[in-house]
Amino acid sequence: METGTSENAGQTAGRPAGRAAGVPADEPVWIALPKGLLRMRRLLLVVWLGLLTLATGLLLGLFAGPVWAAFALLPLAALLWGWPMLGRNWRSWRYAERADDLLISRGVLWHEETVVPYGRMQLVEVTSGPVERHFGLASVQLHTAAAATDARIPGLVPAEAERLRDRLTELGEARSAGL
């Protein structure tokens, strides 16, 4: 469910890069995170809560009796509740590149939108842990002068993460040259 891709990274039909037809010039073009991030998070949920359910059931069944083993249903209930919540959280994450800054939006209950001016970026890094690499994902971490405004975009395809890193670094250098 990507709303923009790197395929339209150049100028097309007189529109700015990434601008879809019919979208006003002052509206940001939001890009959703890949579905692989949702698959990875749901798999981790099933693995951890599945193991917790099994361990709780076995340990309570052996040491406290079979009636107490019913408490193993609590992690199972958390798994059933967490599955759709991960989907809602995944759908809430998106980012947009504007002329002077990068927007990152996230959150379902507490919606948070971070604006990172290109000229304030000090470091843009791409990271990928072992689980992320297994799912073909990477994260972009933005470091700014103020530690409280550091921003992160998780679960990108590595090629998109590298493209974003290079573009943000280029724009950051160009904007900070005038400071």
Side-chain angles (χ1 to χ4, degrees), residues 54-73:
L54 187 63
T56 304
L58 286 174
L59 292 174
L60 286 176
L62 287 173
F63 296 116
V67 174
W68 289 95
F71 278 103
L73 295 176

Side-chain angles (χ1 to χ4, degrees), residues 14-30 96-99 103:
R15 291 189 307 267
R19 181 72 45 202
V23 176
D26 58 344
E27 283 293 316
V29 177
W30 291 102
E97 299 173 62
R98 295 195 305 186
L103 300 175

Side-chain angles (χ1 to χ4, degrees), residues 118-119 121 166-179:
Y118 296 135
M121 290 183 203
D166 294 343
R167 177 163 164 68
L168 294 176
T169 302
E170 177 184 312
L171 289 168
E173 288 172 356
R175 299 291 193 282
S176 67
L179 294 178

Side-chain angles (χ1 to χ4, degrees), residues 50-169:
L51 288 173
L52 185 60
T53 299
L54 187 63
T56 304
L58 286 174
L59 292 174
L60 286 176
L62 287 173
F63 296 116
V67 174
W68 289 95
F71 278 103
L73 295 176
L74 291 176
L76 190 59
L79 186 139
L80 295 174
W81 176 80
W83 188 273
M85 292 302 114
L86 284 174
R88 289 183 65 196
N89 180 270
W90 169 76
R91 282 189 298 278
S92 75
W93 275 88
R94 57 191 184 151
Y95 67 97
E97 299 173 62
R98 295 195 305 186
D100 296 322
D101 49 32
L102 177 74
L103 300 175
I104 302 171
S105 177
R106 66 191 165 279
V108 178
L109 201 54
W110 284 273
H111 184 77
E112 187 176 329
E113 192 166 295
T114 305
V115 180
V116 184
Y118 296 135
R120 299 287 181 180
M121 290 183 203
Q122 292 183 334
L123 174 68
V124 181
E125 62 182 344
V126 175
T127 60
S128 185
V131 177
E132 284 181 310
R133 277 194 308 273
H134 177 74
F135 283 90
L137 301 172
S139 296
V140 174
Q141 179 77 36
L142 308 166
H143 299 278
T144 61
T149 59
D150 286 358
R152 182 173 176 264
I153 304 173
L156 296 174
V157 176
E160 172 65 10
E162 291 172 9
R163 182 205 66 82
L164 190 61
R165 178 200 58 210
D166 294 343
R167 177 163 164 68
L168 294 176
T169 302

